């Protein structure tokens, strides 16, 4: 019975969900699903079943296997390097045991977990028992694979050379190694060892030459060699794009079928070949599709009636594929884990897969169509039966189909090859939510630009219907009209310049002689007729530059910074034309606001106390200022301004004379406008002084106009009384020792004597200690 890949249901019962690119924290996932509704919450609970408790490692896991009795699972991982054993009947971790180095491969020696042998990456071999670590030994080279031959009690170790080391566990010593030889090519190492359970034939997958050697353990000699078809497996694309092709074709995985006749061979090119031991040609070929080395191959025996018998499991680090040996081109199902795979183990007789990967959580997948649930997890069948009865959504319901070029524009081309993109035909299916988010991030102004573009197109259509100006338009120009008009003006200017130059030459020749002018005209006519002087081709009519004026992709962006740097004057003109000039009223209001803000305007009180009656000419003068607006056309204001200016120039300024003035009868004037400062001073007297002032004051005026003045202070003045000590008793009491008075009520000194310390009187003589510095924000120290 044939199955389509989308008809086979895969349930993740441990670890991250298959097909997801990352594993979010559980609390965040539950919060998001709760917000989506009951249906999403139910799907979340169904998809996050934890079948085995604590099925994880601190960093990554390397290998995983189940014991022959099917009651325990043993896995190795890091970091720190350790071995963990789970009790499958209890579905929980039994114990963990740490080692000194990381594990490469291990084999279970007993039916349960008590005895095992481990190959470490530091060339050591460790034997473990129920009580713990038992014994340690080393091999000469770094090991790659491990197998146990039970009839002879030999543990076989493959390494980087061409030797297979044998450790006999019954005798407790190393036996003579098996030396592999190839007549055609050198052997760089042995990657994998397989022992056929039917006839105990040893199979070795060789690194570097693409061969599989079979040895008989009884004679310890090579029984045969199988060479893989390198011409079918190595293609130019693989040879140039994969690093494994640099060393040639290698065998990375090998598994024999229990019937003893069939072998599955995995290669470094990502191919799996099925061979019958009786022929050298493969009867089936399967490509993983990623070009990565095959990590694991195994035969799935004892499956359900639905799947049939003879299924093959092949896995690289990206994908697990299960397919029928008779139809390798069709997948029974495929699984894309969330983390890179290191190992895959199929629980015999069931549909359960255990994986070791590069993530913290180890994954477990249950496929009901592949086989029944194991005895220790029989409840999985009841859960899956309930889930199958429910309706499911369409596969591509919430996905968007995008092509590769659109994927690059969105910046998601790095997701090619990940579960986030599902290849389909010439593009990929991507989550609709991820597509919308990426589109917004790639161009956050997409809607605004689309709206602006639609408005511009609409305005352009309306502009075409308007009446055009009388200016000459350049025909056939759709874009860059300003550039076309500029080119046309330049060409017109150049044409006129050539015409003027030609007329000037003709005029000079005409003055020189008519014969020469006639000869020149004849030569020019002959040139025009013969086509020797062709008119220069215009840029507007040149077909090489046609797209510049037709294709919108070549439109000049006049708003760009580069255009502004190359054409600064045009940018300034364009901005100036676009702005409306201020009117005279607006400029006057702006000037008055500026004067008031600067504190230059006069207040109302100053206007009232000053000249309150302004003439009409003054009012007109205020409206005219040639320095602010030189081009103002106001005849009346300009006349008033000129008249006021002329009056200021011709006004008489009355100055005080420097020499003494005499009256008509010969006496000097003591008062009046013609009197000098000395005459006025000698005549005037201070109020209240009486005759004493005239007696004590003496003013002498020299002939040259100089003045000499002397006086005696009055005894009744306040200063004289204070100096002579004849003041009142209250005034006498106000005098204090050390007080000096000067000016109008000002004094100096007279502080109250206080007891001052030595530091206050002389100042600080030492640096402050234990205080915070203001500059360095730290305590200063001596």
């Amino acid at each position: 019975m044939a199955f389509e890949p989308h008809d086979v249901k895969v349930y993740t019962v441990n670890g991250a969900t298959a097909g997801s690119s990352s594993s979010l924290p559980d609390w965040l996932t539950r919060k998001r699903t709760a917000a989506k509704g009951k249906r999403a919450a139910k799907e979340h609970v169904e998809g996050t079943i934890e079948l085995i408790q604590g099925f994880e490692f601190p960093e990554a896991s390397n290998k995983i296997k189940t014991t022959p009795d099917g009651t325990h699972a043993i896995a190795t991982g890091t970091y720190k390097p350790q071995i963990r054993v789970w009790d499958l009947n209890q579905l929980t971790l039994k114990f963990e045991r740490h080692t000194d180095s990381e594990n490469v491969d291990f084999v279970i020696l007993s039916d349960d977990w008590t005895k095992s042998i481990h190959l470490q990456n530091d060339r050591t071999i460790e034997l473990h028992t129920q009580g713990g670590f038992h014994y340690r030994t080393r091999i000469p080279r770094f090991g790659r694979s491990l197998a146990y031959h039970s009839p002879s009690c030999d543990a076989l170790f493959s390494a980087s050379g061409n030797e297979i080391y044998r450790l006999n566990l019954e005798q407790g010593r190393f036996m003579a190694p098996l030396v592999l030889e190839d007549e055609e090519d050198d052997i760089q190492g042995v990657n994998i060892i397989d022992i056929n359970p039917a006839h105990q034939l040893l199979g070795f997958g060789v690194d570097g030459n693409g061969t599989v050697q079979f040895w008989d353990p009884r004679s310890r000699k090579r029984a045969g060699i199988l060479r893989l078809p390198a011409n079918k497996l190595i293609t130019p694309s693989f040879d140039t794009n994969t690093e494994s092709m640099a060393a040639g074709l290698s065998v990375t995985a090998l598994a024999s079928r229990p019937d003893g006749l069939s072998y599955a061979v995995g290669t470094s090119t990502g191919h799996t070949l099925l061979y019958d031991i009786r022929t050298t040609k493969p009867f089936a070929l399967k490509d993983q599709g990623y070009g990565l080395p095959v990590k694991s191959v195994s035969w799935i025996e004892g499956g359900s009636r639905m799947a049939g018998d003879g299924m093959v499991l092949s896995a690289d680090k990206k994908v697990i594929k299960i397919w029928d040996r008779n139809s390798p081109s069709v997948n029974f199902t495929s699984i894309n884990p969330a983390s890179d795979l290191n190992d895959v183990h199929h629980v015999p007789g069931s549909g359960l897969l255990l994986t070791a990967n590069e993530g913290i959580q180890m994954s477990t997948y249950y496929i009901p169509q592949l086989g029944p649930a194991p005895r220790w997890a029989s409840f999985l069948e009841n859960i899956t039966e309930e889930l199958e009865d429910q309706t499911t959504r369409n596969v591509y319901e919430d996905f968007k189909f995008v092509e590769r070029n659109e994927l690059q524009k969105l910046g998601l081309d790095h997701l090619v090859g990940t579960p986030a993109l599902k290849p389909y035909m010439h593009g990929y299916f991507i989550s609709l939510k991820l597509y919308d988010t990426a589109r917004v991030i790639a161009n956050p102004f997409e809607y605004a630009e689309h709206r602006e573009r639609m408005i511009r197109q609409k305005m352009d259509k309306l502009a075409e219907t308007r009446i055009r100006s009388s200016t000459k338009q350049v025909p056939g120009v759709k874009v860059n009209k300003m550039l076309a008009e500029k080119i046309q003006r330049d060409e017109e200017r150049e044409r006129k310049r050539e015409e003027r130059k030609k007329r000037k030459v003709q005029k000079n020749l005409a003055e020189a002689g008519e014969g020469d002018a006639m000869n020149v005209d004849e030569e020019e006519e002959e040139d025009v007729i013969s086509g020797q002087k062709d008119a220069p081709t215009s840029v507007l009519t040149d077909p090489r530059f046609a797209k510049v004026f037709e294709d919108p992709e070549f439109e000049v962006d006049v708003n760009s910074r580069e255009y502004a740097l190359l054409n600064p004057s045009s940018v300034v003109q364009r901005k100036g034309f676009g702005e409306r000039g201020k009117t005279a009223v607006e400029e006057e209001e702006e000037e008055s606001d500026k004067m008031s803000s600067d504190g230059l305007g006069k207040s109302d009180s100053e206007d009232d106390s000053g000249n309150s009656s302004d003439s009409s000419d003054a009012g007109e003068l205020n409206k005219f200022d040639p320095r602010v607006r030189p081009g103002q056309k106001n005849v009346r204001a300009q006349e008033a301004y000129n008249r006021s200016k002329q009056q200021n120039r011709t006004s008489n300024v009355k100055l005080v004379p420097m020499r003494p003035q005499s009256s008509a009868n010969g006496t000097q004037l003591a008062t009046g406008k013609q009197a000098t400062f000395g005459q006025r001073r000698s005549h005037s007297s201070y109020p209240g002084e009486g005759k004493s002032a005239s007696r004590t004051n003496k003013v002498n005026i020299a002939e040259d106009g100089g003045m000499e003045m002397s006086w005696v202070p009055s005894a009744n003045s306040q200063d004289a009384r204070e100096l002579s000590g004849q003041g009142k008793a209250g005034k006498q009491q106000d005098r204090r020792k050390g007080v000096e008075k000067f000016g109008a009520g000002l004094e100096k000194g007279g502080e109250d004597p206080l007891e001052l310390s030595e530091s206050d009187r002389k100042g600080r003589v030492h640096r402050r200690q234990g205080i915070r510095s203001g500059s360095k924000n730290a305590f200063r120290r001596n």
Side-chain angles (χ1 to χ4, degrees):
M1 182 177 180
F3 286 89
E4 294 295 333
H6 59 271
D7 294 335
V8 178
K9 296 180 176 61
V10 180
Y11 297 94
T12 304
V13 293
N14 266 113
T17 306
S20 63
S21 57
S22 63
S23 180
L24 296 176
D26 184 64
W27 64 270
L28 181 59
T29 306
R30 291 185 181 183
K31 184 178 179 181
R32 290 183 177 181
T33 52
K36 293 180 180 178
K38 296 182 179 180
R39 181 177 179 181
K42 186 176 181 180
E43 291 179 357
H44 169 69
V45 173
E46 294 167 354
T48 56
I49 298 174
E50 191 172 358
L51 178 63
I52 304 174
Q53 301 297 319
F55 199 59
E56 60 185 19
F57 275 88
E59 183 176 345
S61 51
N62 298 329
K63 292 286 184 178
I64 183 169
K65 293 179 182 178
T66 57
T67 57
D69 59 4
T71 59
H72 294 82
I74 303 177
T76 59
T78 190
Y79 176 84
K80 301 176 179 180
Q82 55 189 287
I83 304 169
R84 290 191 176 186
V85 178
W86 289 269
D87 189 347
L88 299 180
N89 292 324
Q90 300 298 326
L91 298 177
T92 185
L93 179 66
K94 188 176 182 66
F95 70 90
E96 62 182 24
R97 185 179 299 167
H98 289 261
T99 59
D100 295 337
S101 58
E102 190 173 347
N103 180 258
V104 177
D105 197 3
F106 72 94
V107 171
I108 301 173
L109 301 177
S110 59
D111 290 339
D112 55 5
W113 60 271
T114 56
K115 296 179 182 180
S116 60
I117 182 171
H118 298 260
L119 175 63
Q120 308 298 96
N121 63 353
D122 61 347
R123 297 190 294 116
T124 60
I125 299 170
E126 294 183 358
L127 292 170
H128 289 259
T129 61
Q130 184 176 2
F133 169 73
H134 178 68
Y135 183 75
R136 179 186 290 114
T137 184
R138 302 185 72 180
I139 57 177
R141 296 176 181 269
F142 290 96
R144 298 186 181 183
S145 180
L146 167 64
Y148 178 66
H149 186 247
S150 57
S152 62
C153 295
D154 285 344
L156 306 176
F157 306 93
S158 65
S160 57
N162 63 340
E163 294 181 342
I164 305 297
Y165 304 104
R166 295 191 302 142
L167 176 62
N168 190 276
L169 301 182
E170 183 181 8
Q171 301 179 22
R173 66 189 181 92
F174 280 99
M175 310 301 289
L178 303 178
V179 181
L180 279 62
E181 296 180 354
D182 190 354
E183 296 79 5
E184 296 184 4
D185 200 353
D186 296 335
I187 297 176
Q188 301 177 4
V190 179
N191 293 326
I192 191 69
I193 300 176
D194 177 74
I195 299 177
N196 197 304
H199 44 66
Q200 302 298 316
L201 188 64
L202 305 179
F204 305 111
V206 181
D207 181 18
N209 57 6
T211 60
V212 179
Q213 294 192 15
F214 297 97
W215 284 61
D216 188 352
R218 298 168 297 179
S219 62
R220 294 186 297 277
K221 294 183 179 180
R222 189 177 70 184
I225 185 171
L226 176 64
R227 300 187 183 277
L228 304 183
N231 55 350
K232 294 182 180 180
L233 303 179
I234 300 178
T235 60
S237 60
F238 283 119
D239 195 17
T240 54
N241 295 334
T242 59
E243 298 179 358
S244 60
M245 291 301 96
L249 183 63
S250 302
V251 177
T252 57
L254 184 63
S256 58
R257 194 179 181 189
D259 61 0
L261 296 178
S262 301
Y263 278 87
V265 181
T267 66
S268 58
T269 61
H271 295 84
T272 303
L273 298 90
L274 302 184
Y275 282 93
D276 192 305
I277 197 172
R278 296 164 291 186
T279 180
T280 58
K281 293 183 179 181
F283 65 87
L285 176 63
K286 179 67 175 179
D287 187 5
Q288 292 292 113
Y290 288 96
L292 300 173
V294 177
K295 292 279 187 179
S296 175
V297 293
S298 60
W299 297 84
I300 300 177
E301 302 292 339
S304 64
R305 295 179 181 179
M306 299 175 63
D309 198 7
M311 303 294 289
V312 180
L313 183 147
S314 59
D316 56 16
K317 72 175 185 178
K318 290 290 186 182
V319 64
I320 302 172
K321 291 188 177 182
I322 301 175
W323 42 283
D324 192 350
R325 61 175 182 171
N326 298 320
S327 57
S329 60
V330 179
N331 292 331
F332 175 76
T333 187
S334 61
I335 304 172
N336 292 91
S339 303
D340 293 344
L341 290 171
N342 289 327
D343 190 23
V344 179
H345 176 72
H346 170 248
V347 179
S350 69
L352 199 66
L353 301 179
L354 307 177
T355 65
N357 47 48
E358 290 294 330
I360 295 177
Q361 293 181 335
M362 301 171 66
S363 300
T364 304
Y365 305 105
Y366 176 55
I367 307 174
Q369 286 86 345
L370 184 63
R375 179 175 52 85
W376 46 269
S378 58
F379 57 87
L380 289 176
E381 295 184 355
N382 299 330
I383 296 175
T384 55
E385 287 177 0
E386 294 177 1
L387 296 177
E388 289 178 357
D389 295 338
Q390 299 174 0
T391 58
T392 58
R393 295 179 298 173
N394 191 12
V395 179
Y396 299 112
E397 180 178 352
D398 297 330
F399 283 82
K400 169 73 173 179
F401 179 80
V402 295
E403 296 181 356
R404 180 175 284 273
N405 55 357
E406 186 178 359
L407 207 63
Q408 293 177 353
K409 292 180 180 179
L410 296 176
L412 300 177
D413 51 344
H414 64 282
L415 297 178
V416 175
T418 62
L421 298 179
K422 301 181 183 298
Y424 182 76
M425 296 177 64
H426 61 286
Y428 302 90
F429 275 107
I430 186 174
S431 174
L432 187 60
K433 184 180 294 186
L434 177 60
Y435 174 78
D436 294 337
T437 304
R439 187 174 58 177
V440 172
I441 294 174
N443 188 4
F445 307 103
E446 181 179 6
Y447 175 74
E449 292 177 355
H450 172 73
R451 187 171 180 271
E452 184 179 358
R453 186 165 52 252
M454 296 300 295
I455 293 175
R456 190 185 301 111
Q457 292 178 0
K458 187 175 181 180
M459 296 300 294
D460 292 342
K461 290 181 180 179
L462 293 176
E464 293 178 356
T465 59
R466 296 173 183 169
I467 300 175
R468 298 293 181 182
S469 61
S470 59
T471 57
K472 186 177 181 181
Q473 300 292 333
V474 182
V477 176
K478 298 180 180 179
V479 296
N480 295 329
K481 295 183 179 180
M482 295 178 60
L483 178 61
E485 293 176 358
K486 181 178 180 300
I487 294 175
Q488 192 178 27
R489 289 195 301 269
D490 294 343
E491 292 179 352
E492 184 69 19
R493 191 181 301 108
E494 186 66 23
R495 186 183 60 81
K496 292 181 179 179
R497 186 184 297 109
E498 292 294 335
E499 290 180 356
R500 289 194 301 269
K501 187 176 181 180
K502 185 178 179 181
R503 287 197 298 268
K504 185 176 180 181
V505 171
Q506 290 180 354
K507 183 178 179 181
N508 294 335
L509 293 176
E511 294 176 356
E514 295 181 358
D516 295 338
M518 294 176 61
N519 294 335
V520 171
D521 294 339
E522 291 177 359
E523 290 178 359
E524 290 181 355
E525 291 178 1
E526 291 178 0
D527 293 339
V528 172
I529 296 173
S530 60
Q532 293 179 3
K533 292 182 66 176
D534 298 333
T537 305
S538 175
V539 178
L540 299 175
T541 58
D542 195 336
R544 296 176 298 176
F545 305 101
K547 289 188 177 181
V548 177
F549 306 101
E550 297 177 359
D551 193 352
E553 295 292 335
F554 293 90
E555 185 175 2
V556 178
D557 187 5
V558 297
N559 297 323
S560 63
R561 183 173 179 270
E562 292 78 4
Y563 183 85
L565 293 175
L566 296 174
N567 304 276
S569 59
S570 61
V571 175
V572 173
Q573 292 177 2
R574 180 162 48 83
K575 290 184 178 180
F577 292 151
E579 298 179 356
R580 182 180 63 86
K582 295 182 180 179
T583 61
V585 178
E586 292 176 347
E587 291 182 354
E588 184 176 352
E589 292 178 353
E590 183 180 0
E591 184 67 22
S592 62
D593 294 340
K594 182 178 180 181
M595 293 177 64
S596 61
S597 62
D598 294 340
L600 300 177
K602 295 183 179 180
S603 60
D604 296 338
S605 60
E606 292 175 349
D607 295 336
D608 296 339
S609 62
N611 298 328
S612 59
S613 59
D614 295 338
S615 63
S616 60
D617 294 341
E620 294 294 337
L621 183 61
N622 292 335
K623 296 181 182 180
F624 175 77
D625 188 356
R627 293 169 295 178
V628 178
R629 294 185 293 273
Q632 181 178 2
K633 300 300 182 180
N634 192 338
V635 179
R636 184 178 180 184
Q638 190 170 1
E639 291 177 355
Y641 175 79
N642 295 334
R643 186 165 55 255
S644 175
K645 188 175 181 181
Q646 184 67 23
Q647 291 176 0
N648 292 335
R649 270 201 297 262
T650 58
S651 61
N652 295 325
V653 180
K654 300 297 183 179
L655 301 177
V656 177
M658 295 297 296
R659 297 181 178 275
Q661 303 294 326
S662 301
S663 60
N665 54 6
T667 62
Q668 293 184 353
L669 297 177
T671 59
K673 296 182 179 180
Q674 300 297 329
T676 62
F677 175 77
Q679 295 172 350
R680 299 177 190 177
R681 178 68 180 85
S682 61
H683 184 267
S684 62
S685 62
Y686 294 100
E689 294 181 354
K691 299 179 179 180
S692 62
S694 60
R695 290 194 304 266
T696 57
N697 296 342
K698 183 179 180 180
V699 179
N700 297 325
I701 299 175
E703 296 179 358
D704 56 352
M707 181 178 62
E708 182 181 352
M709 180 185 302
S710 63
W711 73 91
V712 178
S714 176
N716 60 355
S717 63
Q718 181 67 23
D719 294 340
R721 287 196 299 268
E722 290 180 357
L723 292 175
S724 60
Q726 299 175 2
K728 296 180 181 179
K731 299 296 183 179
Q732 183 69 21
Q733 294 177 359
D734 292 339
R735 297 184 60 186
R736 297 187 301 273
K737 184 179 180 179
V739 177
E740 180 182 355
K741 293 186 177 181
F742 59 93
L746 300 179
E747 63 182 16
K748 180 172 64 175
E751 290 82 358
D752 296 334
L754 299 176
E755 294 295 333
L756 300 178
S757 62
E758 186 70 18
S759 60
D760 293 337
R761 287 188 292 103
K762 297 184 179 181
R764 181 166 49 86
V765 295
H766 297 286
R767 297 177 58 185
R768 297 188 181 97
Q769 297 181 359
I771 63 173
R772 189 178 297 276
S773 172
S775 60
K776 299 182 179 179
N777 197 19
F779 284 96
R780 292 183 177 178
R781 298 183 181 181
N782 293 334

